[in-house]
Amino acid sequence: MERALILLSGLPGTGKSTVAEKLEHSLEGYKLISLRQVRRDLGHNRYHPERNEEAFGEIILCIGIFFNEGKNVILDNANLARGRRYWFYESTQNENVNYLVLECTCSGGVAKRRMSHRKEVDDGLFTESSD
């Protein structure tokens, strides 16, 4: 059975989480995985690059669970660099997955304003980009 994985990428403050949530509410049969939430669930109170492999490993496990349940996945990731995208491709290559990468962009001023608001709401947790 074919599965779909929508990967949202872009710098912090460009609207990835907003787009991901709207997609999840608009598309039937899709589940949202947020890197930020995965890190919280793992007890990562602040961003530490040495914890990336643990977080991304957990994401791969979640993707597998959702695929086994017959769901497609939307992945809201901090800054999904090309190397990390290939890692996801390789990690799911036996799943017969169709990929769609959506890169969110906006002006620097808009991103700064959004991140400033995020810090008020979220204490700045994980506002920096990852690989």
Side-chain angles (χ1 to χ4, degrees):
M1 174 180 281
E2 285 191 5
R3 291 281 157 237
L5 178 56
I6 300 173
L7 302 167
L8 281 108
S9 70
L11 295 173
T14 57
K16 295 177 302 298
S17 296
T18 301
V19 170
E21 290 169 7
K22 288 184 180 195
L23 285 172
E24 183 184 32
H25 287 52
S26 300
L27 299 173
E28 189 172 321
Y30 279 81
K31 297 295 279 185
L32 173 60
I33 300 173
S34 164
L35 175 60
R36 178 184 285 191
Q37 188 60 50
V38 166
R39 285 187 168 142
R40 283 188 181 128
D41 292 347
L42 291 170
H44 302 176
N45 296 325
R46 290 280 178 232
Y47 172 73
H48 297 283
E50 65 275 7
R51 293 181 169 171
N52 280 343
E53 293 310 311
E54 179 185 13
F56 287 115
E58 185 69 18
I59 287 172
I60 290 297
L61 289 174
C62 291
I63 289 171
I65 289 168
F66 289 140
F67 282 174
N68 286 335
E69 293 175 354
K71 303 287 185 185
N72 295 306
V73 175
I74 301 164
L75 178 57
D76 175 13
N77 194 345
N79 183 9
L80 199 55
R82 182 181 300 182
R84 185 58 69 183
R85 285 197 303 263
Y86 286 117
W87 186 83
F88 279 107
Y89 301 154
E90 291 173 6
S91 298
T92 58
Q93 68 183 355
N94 294 328
E95 300 287 341
N96 199 17
V97 178
N98 292 310
Y99 300 92
L100 175 62
V101 178
L102 301 177
E103 183 173 358
C104 297
T105 63
C106 67
S107 72
V110 169
K112 285 179 186 178
R113 187 174 67 246
R114 289 176 179 165
M115 289 177 64
S116 166
H117 174 69
R118 181 186 305 163
K119 288 179 183 177
E120 293 170 13
V121 172
D122 201 17
D123 276 344
L125 184 65
F126 304 127
T127 57
E128 59 286 296
S129 67
S130 68
D131 65 336

